[in-house]
Amino acid sequence: MGLGQIPLFAAMTEKMRWHQARQNLLSQNVANAETPGYQGRDLKAFDFEDHMANKSTAEVTTTATNPKHIAVSSGTGDGFQSRRLNSFEITPEGNGVTLEDEMMKVTGNQMDYQAVTTLYTRSVRLLRTALGKSA
């Protein structure tokens, strides 16, 4: 049994993927902070309970068998739903991205990602010790 088959490790892996996808969206927001008309995006908050309730062993993918087929995409290509930000502050460029707010989100996201990776690493070390293997 691999670590990916243990529900807790699968959830932590999914949480790390969510943070990576969110970092990508936040960096796009920062890069386009002065782009006229740009609307910032963010991911729906990750919920472990929802993740575990929707966990399925079946995986469905699509394949284009003809170059004329339309590609199916979930929006970010990572399986997470992005959403437009509701911004009450409009910048002079006409967009709703506030650079300071986005940088705070980036910092918070990095800290949360580091916390999950630390928890994952320590959990693996604990399992290895329990199995009698050197940590």
Side-chain angles (χ1 to χ4, degrees):
M1 176 185 252
L3 288 179
Q5 294 173 319
I6 299 173
L8 179 61
F9 284 100
M12 285 192 287
T13 301
E14 196 68 13
K15 176 72 169 169
M16 288 185 283
R17 284 184 58 241
W18 180 87
H19 280 295
Q20 291 169 341
R22 184 170 192 232
Q23 190 73 12
N24 185 33
L25 282 178
L26 293 175
S27 66
Q28 289 175 17
N29 290 348
V30 169
N32 290 294
E34 295 182 3
T35 302
Y38 180 80
Q39 292 208 348
R41 296 181 302 155
D42 202 350
L43 294 180
K44 177 183 171 196
F46 187 86
D47 185 1
F48 275 115
E49 189 173 323
D50 287 346
H51 171 75
M52 297 308 288
N54 296 326
K55 191 72 180 158
S56 171
T57 57
E59 187 171 315
V60 179
T61 60
T62 59
T63 304
T65 56
N66 185 314
K68 296 180 181 177
H69 287 169
I70 297 173
V72 178
S73 174
S74 66
T76 59
D78 48 33
F80 301 108
Q81 296 291 328
S82 66
R83 58 183 169 82
R84 293 204 183 275
L85 296 176
N86 292 331
S87 181
F88 299 105
E89 182 177 341
I90 304 299
T91 63
E93 291 80 17
N95 66 34
V97 177
T98 307
L99 192 56
E100 293 82 8
D101 291 344
E102 294 304 308
M103 293 307 294
M104 291 292 291
K105 290 178 193 176
V106 166
T107 302
N109 191 57
Q110 288 172 340
M111 290 171 41
D112 291 346
Y113 179 82
Q114 186 63 42
V116 175
T117 56
T118 300
L119 180 60
Y120 188 94
T121 303
R122 289 182 181 172
S123 297
V124 169
R125 196 175 309 141
L126 181 64
L127 279 178
R128 289 180 60 91
T129 301
L131 294 173
K133 298 181 181 179
S134 63

